[in-house]
Amino acid sequence: MTPQPISTSHHRTTWNSNSDSELAPPSSPAGSENLRLSNWLRVSWSRSRQALGDDDRPAAAYVERVSTDTVLERAARSVLPDVTAYIENEPVSLILTDANGIVLSRTGGDSALFTALDRVDLAPGFRYAETQVGTNGIGTALEVGRPLLVDGDQHFSGPLRSFSCAGAPVTHPITGAILGVVDLTTAAQNSNTLLLSFATLAAARLRERVLDDATELDRAIFSAYRSACLRSSRPVVAVGDGVVMMNSLTRQQFDSPDQMAILERTRDIGGETTPVTILTDLPSGTVARLSYEPAFTGSRLAGGIVRITKQVASRRLSAPKVNAPIPPAIAGAGPLWRHTVQAVVDACRRQDWLVLDGEPGVGKTALIRAAHQLVPDRGLAVLDAGALGDDLLTVASDELDSGSDLAILHAHALDEAHLAALADLLQDLQAQEPPRRPWVVLTRYPQDSTDTSPLLRMFPKSVTVPPLRHHLDDLPDLVRSLLDTLGATGLTLAPAASNQLARLAWRGNVTQLKKVLEDTCRRQRSGVVELDTLPPACRSTTRRTLTRMQALERDAIVDALSLHAGDKAAAATAIGMSRATIYRKIREFGIML
């Protein structure tokens, strides 16, 4: 399968990356296949222009990677040496990347080709995603999800047009997730359609090796999942060690917030060795019954299969609801947030024990305190499990003896011994009926949660507090409430500033929003906050996580642009950066001017 030099009759398509007119399709020969190729190429160039503008020389970013032992890298160690032997002494380089387009290895080829690849940073550690360098064999294969050949002038970046690159995604044989890309790169004059065939074959070899490498447990959970999907007409979710699968019915019947809540609740019971059925309220207002069955290989637990039924009501949930008011201390009127608040208020009034899941900073503690204010005849003890450590059980016992309700924060911080001891402490109380029984609520970070299954049977309900990015319609009310809390009653946000806040990812949720408003109050104490008054971090719409150095660089650019009234050339000079670089950084960080 040694790639052959391209024939002299090969057609090359020329695209003008500097044109402001609508992108024109390649002037390739007529035919349905060529038209199909033109379509994906046109869309790719449109994505590239949207991400990179008119920059004809976008640069790949270097990403510092921690040494890992991924399933793809393990497969590559046994497969790629044999594959590379086929192209030994040929002017073709075999490149392997991860699912983010970061180059993991580069083999084969000759010294001249390696030197040329080094000049365009197509080397280990550099990221060749489409958002970094535009249309290319690696990044575009990741975007499209299928093998493709990007030939010469079809590249978005000028320096890449001297190459031809054939990229083929490597997918996980069990989950279907894209693990990375196998790419064959050669000089454009050596291009050949066999490059794509070779890359596709190499990807298939890696996929087979990944399957061989899949653990016995993975195979067992996959077999159980496939059997459940064939035998059931209901939504099905499978959770194993590092494997999560859901069938199409789950995606069709539940939106993204509901899916996340289902997965988090499924992980809670995933370690059980006997069948379990639980009811859970979902963010949409739906009540779901989750029927869990463990899957074994021999005597080892491989994971669990969960069959889901919508709109199932228990006697407790079907009882007439108390028309409880929304606590005045809680801002936000969007349907998702109102449903979450109402679920916590109802549980508190009925003294239903509750597990409150949610990312850091979403407001779980504030929600508990606000709900409890509606029952002033009962006290509430709020205990931080992480801070109290070994003293938690003693303090919790004293508070319960005094008749207080109990909120235990960060239950994921407890080890198995403490969880078991807490279960013993609550065992007798759980059997009591209201009003003698206190209200007990646990909070956890679902992505870090320890298996709290010994406690789950005591808590009939679980409510997931949505991240801020899932209910941005509540952002204006939250901003007003937080500003009033900070004493900035005379401060308001201009529409442009409010719109900019709504574009941000808010990975730190309400806690991050509060810090932003605190910073804003230090800059301006009254009047209308315009876009240029927001902290530098809010002037960037990038969704990726920045390193400390990248964040400092972004803030320096924002400050320089503000100081020079948006003059990019003056800002670049002020911080010792070329004009081309500052333009690229503005696009990379999504800085709003």
Side-chain angles (χ1 to χ4, degrees), residues 535-538 548 550-560 589 591:
C538 294
R548 177 61 177 163
Q550 288 171 330
L552 291 172
E553 184 179 39
R554 175 204 59 200
D555 292 354
I557 293 172
V558 170
D559 289 339
F589 294 134
I591 295 172

Side-chain angles (χ1 to χ4, degrees), residues 321-590:
K321 280 193 174 183
V322 178
N323 188 19
I326 296 296
I330 294 296
L336 176 60
W337 182 243
R338 285 184 65 88
H339 170 74
T340 304
V341 174
Q342 194 66 61
V344 177
V345 170
D346 289 342
C348 180
R349 291 179 67 92
R350 294 197 304 262
Q351 294 177 260
D352 289 342
W353 288 13
L354 183 67
V355 175
L356 211 55
D357 290 317
E359 296 177 4
V362 294
K364 297 185 292 294
T365 305
L367 186 51
I368 293 169
R369 292 185 185 278
H372 202 271
Q373 287 177 3
L374 299 177
V375 285
D377 56 323
R378 303 205 308 261
L380 176 67
V382 179
L383 308 181
D384 188 329
L388 286 172
D390 293 337
D391 295 329
L392 173 65
L393 295 175
T394 301
V395 177
S397 179
D398 291 343
E399 294 291 350
L400 291 169
D401 289 342
S402 70
S404 290
D405 291 339
L406 187 63
I408 298 179
L409 310 182
H410 308 135
H412 55 272
L414 298 174
D415 59 24
E416 292 185 5
H418 285 94
L419 289 170
L422 182 59
D424 290 340
L425 175 65
L426 299 178
Q427 186 70 49
D428 293 336
L429 295 173
Q430 195 267 341
Q432 297 178 4
E433 292 293 330
R436 293 182 59 198
R437 181 180 63 197
W439 184 50
V440 181
V441 56
L442 306 179
T443 75
R444 300 177 308 163
Y445 298 162
Q447 66 271 33
D448 298 322
S449 61
T450 304
D451 179 14
T452 58
S453 53
L455 291 175
L456 284 180
R457 297 180 185 86
M458 302 180 185
F459 293 84
K461 292 185 64 176
S462 178
V463 173
T464 299
V465 181
L468 179 55
R469 60 186 176 276
H470 288 172
H471 62 110
L472 288 174
D473 49 340
D474 294 318
L475 194 60
D477 289 343
L478 277 169
V479 169
R480 182 69 269 154
S481 177
L482 290 171
L483 286 175
D484 291 345
T485 301
L486 294 171
T489 55
L491 198 62
T492 59
L493 267 60
S498 295
N499 292 338
Q500 176 63 11
L501 292 184
R503 295 187 184 101
L504 303 181
W506 297 115
R507 299 301 180 193
N509 295 295
V510 180
T511 299
Q512 181 187 358
L513 176 61
K514 183 178 180 181
K515 291 179 180 178
V516 164
L517 295 176
E518 289 173 344
D519 194 355
T520 302
C521 290
R522 285 192 288 269
R523 294 164 177 259
Q524 182 176 335
R525 294 172 181 80
S526 62
V528 179
V529 176
E530 300 292 345
L531 179 60
D532 58 1
T533 308
L534 293 175
C538 294
R539 301 276 299 280
S540 169
T541 58
T542 180
R543 293 278 172 162
R544 62 191 177 92
T545 302
L546 302 181
T547 66
R548 177 61 177 163
M549 290 301 297
Q550 288 171 330
L552 291 172
E553 184 179 39
R554 175 204 59 200
D555 292 354
I557 293 172
V558 170
D559 289 339
L561 288 169
S562 299
L563 181 63
H564 294 279
D567 186 329
K568 302 181 186 66
T573 301
I575 56 179
M577 186 178 287
S578 71
R579 184 174 177 179
T581 299
I582 199 170
Y583 271 87
R584 177 167 58 83
K585 293 293 184 180
I586 288 171
R587 287 192 297 271
E588 180 182 335
F589 294 134

Side-chain angles (χ1 to χ4, degrees), residues 25 45 75 113 223 391 398 487:
W45 268 62
L113 179 59
S223 176
D391 295 329
D398 291 343

